[in-house]
Structures are given as C-alpha cells and as structure tokens.
Amino acid sequence: GSPRHWGEDVPGMVPKLVGTGNGSPCGVAVYEGRLLPSAFSGALLEAEAGTRQINYFPLTRHGATYRTEYKILLSSDDPWFRPTDVAVAPDGSIFVADWYDAGVGGHAFADQNTGRIYRITPKGVKPRPVRPDFGTVAGLIEALKLPCVATQDAARRGLLAKGDASADALRAMIREGTPEEAGRALQGDIDIGLSRST
C-alpha cells in the first residue's frame, strides 16, 4: 500500500520498515543471539507460510527510525512447507515450526497429524546445551542474558521472587551489559521496585 494509505506521512506515525508484498506472515522474533553471523544481530525474523520461507530483516539506523532490506534465511519449494513460527533458543540457534500442510488459512487443511520442527545453526557448528541455573541470583542473571524469550521470562520471574536480593545484580547488569541486556535488567529492576511499593 501507499504511504498515504497506511498513514506513514502523518507526524508521529512510524513508517513501515520494508514492504514484503502478498503472503501469509505468521510468527516473528528478534534475533539477539550470538551463534549466527553478526549480520543477524538485532534482525527481525519472520515465518511466512504463504511464500514458504523464513525471512530476516537486519535493522540499520535511518534518522530517528530504522530501515531494513528483505532477506531470505530459509526457503523451500516443497509445496507443503508452511513455516508458522520462529523462536530463538537459549544457545542462539533458531527453531522453526512447520505446519506442513497443503495450504494456509485453513482452506486447504489436509493433514492433522504431521508437522516438523527445524533447528537452524551455522554449518558445521554443534551448539552446546544451555542449562540455566534458576536457583541463584547469579544463575538468574545469566539466564536473563540468553536470547530465548521464554528463558528471559523465567529468569525475570525468579529475580522478582528474590526481591531485594537481586537488585544489586540487576543494577550491575544495567551498567555493564549489552544494550539488550541492560534493557532486560532495567525492566527487572523496575518490577522489583514496583513489587516493593504495592
């Protein structure tokens, strides 16, 4: 659609980053891992069931906003390949959920018994298992640094449960962590402050 149609020229509106055309966009995630090459760092990942591909969009600053370009991470000409979601694992690999069906949107729903999960890693790399320690403040801080959203949430909840005992570690992470880690720690520190005041 045009910028006028989507209101992109209206002050205060954030313009779209990139037009992807027709399709059936499904799950999205931001890649904050370190396993894949640096070109993926901070990129938006998108599962696209209609065109049968996983796209990634590396972000670059453009004035007060960002720009990106359309890139394909994984695609298939298998007519039943229907990626519906994408997630980042604690080790930085990427999981892709494949509905594996004849069509999208339910109109060609043909198989209720199959589906696949793919794991994307760099060629020749076998990631080591990551086993977060959710029992200690130090372990929870390390878990909060991992690129998996579910692990971050479990760590945030664990730190919140420990209350004041985790505040100093969170503040150290705000000062010393990457921008992404500092943002996660800041949210945890705010949550702890809010729980004390309620």
Side-chain angles (χ1 to χ4, degrees):
S2 71
R4 171 62 78 184
H5 177 77
W6 295 106
E8 292 177 50
D9 52 354
V10 176
M13 294 293 288
V14 177
K16 71 180 178 286
L17 293 173
V18 66
T20 58
N22 293 332
S24 298
C26 294
V28 296
V30 174
Y31 188 78
E32 294 179 344
R34 294 188 180 96
L35 184 66
L36 298 182
S38 62
F40 291 91
S41 182
L44 180 69
L45 305 170
E46 175 213 19
E48 170 54 76
T51 57
R52 299 187 303 273
Q53 59 200 36
I54 300 296
N55 302 312
Y56 74 101
F57 305 94
L59 300 178
T60 54
R61 291 287 279 178
H62 184 81
T65 188
Y66 293 90
R67 288 289 183 255
T68 189
E69 52 189 312
Y70 186 96
K71 295 184 176 248
I72 298 172
L73 172 62
L74 172 71
S75 66
S76 175
D77 52 6
D78 177 350
W80 279 49
F81 177 60
R82 300 290 178 195
T84 56
D85 208 356
V86 59
V88 181
D91 62 17
S93 59
I94 297 172
F95 284 112
V96 174
D98 178 9
W99 179 17
Y100 199 70
D101 209 343
V104 295
H107 5 287
F109 191 50
D111 190 339
Q112 298 180 16
N113 300 314
T114 59
R116 301 180 284 195
I117 301 290
Y118 293 96
R119 184 180 191 191
I120 301 172
T121 63
K123 192 172 187 169
V125 172
K126 185 175 180 183
R128 290 183 299 223
V130 175
R131 294 183 176 88
D133 171 13
F134 293 111
T136 66
V137 169
L140 290 164
I141 290 291
E142 289 307 308
L144 191 60
K145 293 178 181 180
L146 294 173
C148 175
V149 174
T151 304
Q152 293 166 16
D153 183 61
R156 187 189 63 76
R157 290 171 188 265
L159 290 162
L160 183 58
K162 292 196 179 292
D164 287 343
S166 59
D168 287 343
L170 285 166
R171 290 184 188 121
M173 189 171 159
I174 292 168
R175 289 188 310 272
E176 301 161 13
T178 66
E180 295 83 9
E181 293 168 355
R184 294 178 206 146
L186 181 61
Q187 180 62 48
D189 197 38
I190 289 169
D191 289 344
I192 287 170
L194 290 174
S195 71
R196 275 193 301 243
S197 64
T198 55

